[in-house]
Amino acid sequence: MSDKQELVDEKHIGQAAEFDPDSPAIRVLKRKLDYRFIPIWSLLYLFNFLDRSNIGNARIAGLEQDLNLTGTEFNMTLTIFFFGYIFFEVPSNIMLKKVGPKLWITVIMVVWSAIMMATAAVKDYAGLLSARFFLGLAEAGLVPGIIFMVSTFYTKTELATRNGLWYSMATFSGAFGGILAYGISMMHGKGGLVGWQWIFIIEGGTTLLVCLIAWFGLADSPEKAMFLTPEERLLAAERLRIDAGPATETEFSWSQARLAFTDWQTYAYIVGYICGSIPVYAMSLFVPSIVLQFNYSVATTQIMTAPAFAAATITTIICAVSSDRFRERGLHCFVPSVVGCIGFILLIATKDSSVAARYVSLTVTCCGVFSAAPAMFAWFSGNIGGHSKRAVAIGLIASLGCIGGAIGAQVYRPSDAAGGYVRGHTISACLCGMAAIMSLVSKMVFTLINKHRDNLSPEEYARACQGENLLDKHPDFRYQT
């Protein structure tokens, strides 16, 4: 056994210089964390995404006609969902930090699954609007909550892969959801209910069962992860303390939470996140409608949404693993954004071409727009120091980023369907380009800040260390680029 490993076994792991991040003990610890949390986070997000986006499949199954929705009313039911997100994501992450992820995530899942099943009973436009708003309120806490949980169990160089694995459920849900909706819609007429009602009831009911997995499977912190041995819990906490550098605060602090609102990088991430999220949500909600324009039947359309999302699942995971492997974030946001931009341009160029050409263009688009998110999540959760500041900042970024969801729900208008949704594709292409530019600018700024801190004189370093609550502003802190 090596000297470094002996130090770990003897619990003398407080010295960063002696701490081996690649020791056998660390590898065993990471395996335990991965096997425990990644399947749970993935399952939670799968049903989160299914429950928010299944309205697109319900539309194909007749919801729009049965509720007599006209004009842009369907788009408004999509948009109002994100207002619930915007209002509640920051308060939700504060509650998550105060009461713990285990209880809070379980509670919000029970609430949203009940709302989802109740949506089957709506009779008109007003009822559907109300259901979608409250669904957004209930679901708001999950994504920022998972991003925060990942950052409390893994080091900064491990975040993108883990975020990529659970986030890939967004694309997998597009593939799985279409097939599932096709099967459920075959229950049309059973129990006096139509197909779209069964979609809400069965998917919402399944989410209620998944709540049990959240309650029994999640842990509030490394110190409270009872599936680990006492030595592993100590090791898990210590390696995160060392990785955090000077930003080691873990208890909730209002003074540090307020720093999230005054840090320029919070707003830089928000701008980039909004630009990237509009195409993501537009694709999530309207791929069934886009595929329907390929002149497939309704049943075939539900199934044919699957291959494009399946390809995007693979590229999302590859991009996430690559981001951690090369310890790089900016280019792993830039390249997928460029690919997404190219995909939307291809959708415009091939709108009058063969179905095969249009479907390939759609697949390229999905692979691009979804693949940037894990690196982005890892970027802001790794660069914002301190648990309180990070929890609030993640909630703020996700909350204001959902403005992109509200806009994305309006990008593809019913009146544009006959022309191949050219306007929607054009808007999305431009936003992907803007997201790519923001990624490069942010990378350059963080690189310059790191270089400046590397070259501080002893006097400059001493002055920079003065003050309280420095967190990621401490001269020893290095940003991921």
Side-chain angles (χ1 to χ4, degrees), residues 263-378:
D263 192 336
W264 67 268
Q265 65 170 318
T266 301
Y267 299 97
Y269 288 129
I270 287 171
V271 173
Y273 192 51
I274 289 175
C275 291
S277 65
I278 293 174
V280 165
Y281 285 117
M283 286 290 97
S284 302
L285 295 168
F286 289 102
V287 161
S289 299
I290 294 172
V291 174
L292 189 61
Q293 299 305 308
F294 296 175
N295 296 319
Y296 292 125
S297 67
V298 170
T300 304
T301 294
Q302 300 280 28
I303 296 173
M304 287 304 295
T305 60
F309 282 120
T313 301
I314 296 170
T315 57
T316 297
I317 294 174
I318 291 173
C319 190
V321 172
S322 174
S323 180
D324 275 350
R325 171 69 179 80
F326 294 101
R327 301 188 177 188
E328 199 283 333
R329 305 302 185 214
L331 294 179
H332 284 81
C333 294
F334 171 79
V335 172
S337 297
V338 171
V339 172
C341 181
I342 293 172
F344 284 114
I345 294 171
L346 287 174
L347 281 171
I348 297 171
T350 61
K351 69 181 182 70
D352 296 318
S353 300
S354 66
V355 170
R358 296 163 73 185
Y359 198 86
V360 169
S361 301
L362 178 65
T363 303
V364 171
T365 305
C366 289
C367 290
V369 298
F370 285 101
S371 296
M376 173 62 79
F377 294 158

Side-chain angles (χ1 to χ4, degrees), residues 37-230:
F37 290 130
I38 299 300
I40 295 175
W41 290 332
S42 299
L43 192 63
L44 299 186
Y45 189 57
L46 171 63
F47 282 92
N48 172 271
F49 213 86
L50 277 175
D51 289 346
R52 88 169 70 157
S53 59
N54 60 12
I55 190 170
N57 299 109
R59 181 191 195 185
I60 300 298
L63 175 142
E64 197 168 23
Q65 292 78 16
D66 290 349
L67 298 187
N68 298 313
L69 303 184
T70 59
T72 60
E73 287 181 344
F74 178 79
N75 295 71
M76 285 305 302
T77 66
L78 304 181
T79 295
I80 200 168
F81 170 89
F82 294 101
F83 284 105
Y85 257 56
I86 293 166
F87 291 148
F88 202 57
E89 283 192 314
V90 173
S92 180
N93 249 26
I94 292 174
M95 287 297 298
L96 179 137
K97 178 61 182 170
K98 281 183 167 292
V99 307
K102 182 176 180 177
L103 174 61
W104 186 245
I105 295 299
T106 303
V107 167
I108 63 175
M109 287 190 70
V110 170
V111 173
W112 100 53
S113 61
I115 294 170
M116 174 55 55
M117 289 187 287
T119 305
V122 300
K123 302 298 184 184
D124 53 26
Y125 174 55
L128 186 59
L129 272 180
S130 300
R132 292 292 294 179
F133 175 75
F134 287 107
L135 182 65
L137 279 180
E139 286 198 10
L142 186 74
V143 171
I146 293 179
I147 295 172
F148 179 74
M149 281 188 282
V150 173
S151 72
T152 60
F153 284 94
Y154 292 95
T155 63
K156 286 180 283 194
T157 58
E158 299 163 354
L159 297 178
T161 298
R162 277 73 190 181
N163 281 323
L165 289 171
W166 67 260
Y167 180 78
S168 66
M169 291 298 102
T171 49
F172 178 74
S173 74
F176 173 69
I179 297 172
L180 181 63
Y182 169 74
I184 295 174
S185 64
M186 293 297 101
M187 297 179 65
H188 181 85
K190 302 288 186 182
L193 301 176
V194 294
W196 63 266
Q197 290 177 307
W198 280 115
I199 289 175
F200 291 137
I201 291 171
I202 291 179
E203 293 187 9
T206 307
T207 300
L208 194 59
L209 297 177
V210 174
C211 296
L212 296 174
I213 298 175
W215 175 251
F216 290 107
L218 295 178
D220 291 337
S221 66
E223 294 86 349
K224 296 180 180 179
M226 293 298 107
F227 63 93
L228 300 176
T229 66

